[in-house]
């Protein structure tokens, strides 16, 4: 009933991955927007102090910013690598737009406010 041809199994797996590109792209977009929101709120909340920050508060703020940067760029690079390896073009594009778009908007806002 079922053949044991391993080449056919590999091609079937690849085709299933390609067919799942659209639903995966939606999930990637939602996940990226949520992650970016959490990271941006983490950076914003770490900068809220009453009065001028002392050395310990400044060190905590710097550590929070470094952690958020590592998470952001690691997630961006990892997602682009994984989706490119599986050849999911919609997911790659969605991941790139959902990660870089809010960052560009945040930088534009900070440039206009500062």
């Amino acid at each position: 009933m079922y053949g044991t041809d391993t080449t056919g199994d590999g091609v079937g797996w690849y085709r299933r991955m390609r067919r799942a590109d659209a639903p995966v792209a939606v999930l990637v977009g939602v996940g990226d927007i949520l992650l970016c929101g959490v990271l941006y709120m983490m950076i914003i909340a770490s900068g809220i102090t009453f009065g001028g920050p002392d050395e310990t508060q400044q060190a905590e703020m710097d550590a929070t910013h470094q952690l958020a940067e590592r998470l952001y760029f690691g997630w961006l690079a990892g997602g682009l690598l994984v989706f490119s390896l599986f050849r999911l073009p919609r997911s790659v594009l969605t991941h790139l737009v959902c990660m870089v778009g809010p960052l560009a908007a945040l930088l534009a806002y900070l440039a206009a406010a500062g």
Side-chain angles (χ1 to χ4, degrees):
M1 184 170 185
Y2 294 107
T4 58
D5 185 19
T6 56
T7 9
D9 293 339
V11 172
W13 180 80
Y14 178 72
R15 285 186 183 149
R16 282 191 306 250
M17 286 293 292
R18 293 289 301 222
R19 273 190 233 124
D21 191 19
V24 168
V26 171
L27 293 175
V28 165
V30 169
D32 286 346
I33 294 295
L34 290 174
L35 178 71
C36 285
V38 168
L39 292 177
Y40 296 150
M41 291 306 292
M42 191 168 101
I43 290 173
I44 291 169
S46 72
I48 297 174
T49 60
F50 298 103
D54 58 2
E55 289 97 22
T56 58
Q57 289 176 334
Q58 188 64 41
E60 289 173 356
M61 287 170 32
D62 292 340
T64 303
H65 290 185
Q66 290 174 357
L67 175 65
E69 286 175 7
R70 278 187 269 143
L71 287 172
Y72 179 84
F73 288 113
W75 188 262
L76 177 64
L80 290 175
L81 178 69
V82 167
F83 299 133
S84 295
L85 286 176
F86 287 125
R87 296 183 183 188
L88 302 174
R90 289 183 189 126
S91 298
V92 169
L93 186 61
T94 302
H95 182 64
L96 193 59
V97 167
C98 288
M99 292 292 286
V100 175
L103 178 64
L106 179 67
L107 292 177
Y109 172 75
L110 291 176

